[in-house]
Amino acid sequence: MKHAILVVSKVGQPDDRAACMMGYVSVHDDAAANRRARRISDGAATHDCAHDRPMVEPFAAQVPPR
């Protein structure tokens, strides 16, 4: 069974090149999935790519290794 997943990424900046995946959101309910992805991305300013693990929803559990 195929399943769509939104990947929420933090993009590196010139002064801080850290970039990483912040979360994986299941797209089983399209509009609500976008809202949940936005909530995760709102934390980009405080997300530490070196130490913080991505948030993985239960329906998105089969994602690439972290």
Side-chain angles (χ1 to χ4, degrees):
M1 179 168 117
K2 292 185 179 185
H3 191 75
I5 297 172
L6 289 174
V7 177
V8 181
S9 303
K10 180 175 181 176
V11 179
Q13 300 297 313
D15 59 333
D16 176 15
R17 298 197 182 276
C20 61
M21 301 306 172
M22 292 180 56
Y24 300 92
V25 177
S26 174
V27 187
H28 70 280
D29 56 351
D30 297 331
N34 285 329
R35 285 191 298 275
R36 293 191 311 275
R38 276 190 221 103
R39 273 189 230 117
I40 293 171
S41 68
D42 287 345
T46 59
H47 186 86
D48 182 351
C49 288
H51 299 101
D52 296 338
R53 295 189 59 125
M55 194 289 289
V56 181
E57 290 189 342
F59 284 114
Q62 295 186 10
V63 295
R66 292 170 249 162

